[in-house]
Amino acid sequence: RKEVEQDPGPFNVPEGATVAFNCTYSNSASQSFFWYRQDCRKEPKLLMSVYSSGNEDGRFTAQLNRASQYISLLIRDSKLSDSATYLCVVTHNYGQNFVFGPGTRLSVLP
Amino acid sequence: DVKVTQSSRYLVKRTGEKVFLECVQDMDHENMFWYRQDPGLGLRLIYFSYDVKMKEKGDIPEGYSVSREKKERFSLILESASTNQTSMYLCASSLFVPTSRDRDQPQHFGDGTRLSIL
């Protein structure tokens, strides 16, 4: 079993839709959590950190459930520019280990 | 603003050549990483370094070596390039967090190098 798992998708949604991605991790010692987005043939870019209390950045909301070892990302009012692969990342060992999930592909359709 | 610079966006080399990929960051980060990314396989860690002259093997170090002589620069070396090393190579850096009470800082990536070995 992989340490970080995500639904690979693809998720095909119309503009304006709300879409949610899930991520589970197996290492209970994981310390920090992030969502990255990666456009085709580009590098991953930090989308947002994920805090225990949950956090929001505009149309994006991230949630963490340490008991269930589960992270989520909610995107409201999807835009065409949201089309990308979304990578869930967990860390441990004082930031020396970043474990990336396989990514979930999102296509927002006009 | 955070900046991680990789020396080449595209590189074509021949089988058996020694290949150097360079990465420089300007954020005074302690941690630096080299990954490769292949379709369907995601990001795989080759090597990382948490200090000058220090290095640790990642998940797939075979056929690679690294060098970190200065804090800002982390080089990936393909000792004798082979066709199965054709890939997208990504360098990243992050700040060291000294205590478990502090949040780990995210990685910042360079633009990537698309390496083709013929």
Side-chain angles (χ1 to χ4, degrees):
Chain A
R1 184 179 170 220
K2 290 186 178 176
E3 186 174 340
V4 179
E5 299 200 72
Q6 297 181 249
D7 184 338
F11 284 55
N12 298 317
V13 303
E15 267 187 292
T18 294
V19 61
F21 303 137
N22 300 321
C23 170
T24 58
Y25 61 95
S26 59
N27 188 336
S28 58
S30 296
Q31 293 165 278
S32 297
F33 309 88
F34 305 97
W35 284 102
Y36 281 71
R37 70 169 278 167
Q38 185 173 24
D39 295 292
C40 190
R41 301 176 72 83
K42 296 285 186 94
E43 78 279 15
K45 291 188 176 175
L46 178 68
L47 180 65
M48 59 197 301
S49 302
V50 187
Y51 303 131
S52 297
S53 54
N55 49 299
E56 192 173 303
D57 183 1
R59 298 181 292 110
F60 300 85
T61 301
Q63 297 277 357
L64 167 64
N65 184 324
R66 282 191 186 269
S68 301
Q69 295 181 194
Y70 168 94
I71 305 155
S72 66
L73 177 68
L74 183 78
I75 305 176
R76 290 181 299 278
D77 188 24
S78 301
K79 311 289 184 195
L80 295 175
S81 57
D82 294 334
S83 296
T85 296
Y86 289 83
L87 301 165
C88 170
V89 183
V90 305
T91 74
H92 41 86
N93 196 23
Y94 303 103
Q96 291 181 2
N97 287 97
F98 283 73
V99 184
F100 284 77
T104 298
R105 196 150 62 86
L106 171 67
S107 291
V108 180
L109 308 172
Chain B
D1 199 14
V2 163
K3 189 68 178 172
V4 179
T5 303
Q6 292 184 230
S7 52
S8 306
R9 289 297 303 273
Y10 301 93
L11 205 54
V12 180
K13 295 291 182 181
R14 295 206 172 274
T15 304
E17 279 192 74
K18 192 169 186 176
V19 181
F20 293 85
L21 302 183
E22 305 286 347
C23 176
V24 177
Q25 50 94 3
D26 65 359
M27 298 158 288
D28 204 34
H29 284 172
E30 291 80 6
N31 301 327
M32 295 189 76
F33 307 79
W34 274 107
Y35 295 89
R36 64 177 284 178
Q37 188 173 32
D38 302 285
L41 295 177
L43 276 158
R44 292 184 291 168
L45 181 65
I46 305 171
Y47 268 97
F48 74 95
S49 167
Y50 52 89
D51 202 351
V52 175
K53 297 193 186 295
M54 305 302 288
K55 60 185 179 184
E56 294 285 341
K57 292 180 180 179
D59 301 317
I60 51 162
E62 297 78 21
Y64 303 93
S65 63
V66 290
S67 172
R68 188 143 181 225
E69 296 297 317
K70 293 185 178 182
K71 190 175 185 180
E72 66 270 20
R73 185 180 296 270
F74 193 34
S75 303
L76 179 69
I77 303 149
L78 284 66
E79 298 292 342
S80 177
S82 63
T83 54
N84 63 11
Q85 292 179 309
T86 290
S87 186
M88 166 79 133
Y89 288 87
L90 289 155
C91 175
S93 72
S94 69
L95 195 63
F96 172 67
V97 174
T99 74
S100 62
R101 289 177 300 210
D102 298 310
R103 297 186 194 284
D104 290 330
Q105 295 299 303
Q107 286 181 328
H108 300 274
F109 285 85
D111 292 342
T113 297
R114 289 206 168 269
L115 175 64
S116 296
I117 307 295
L118 304 178

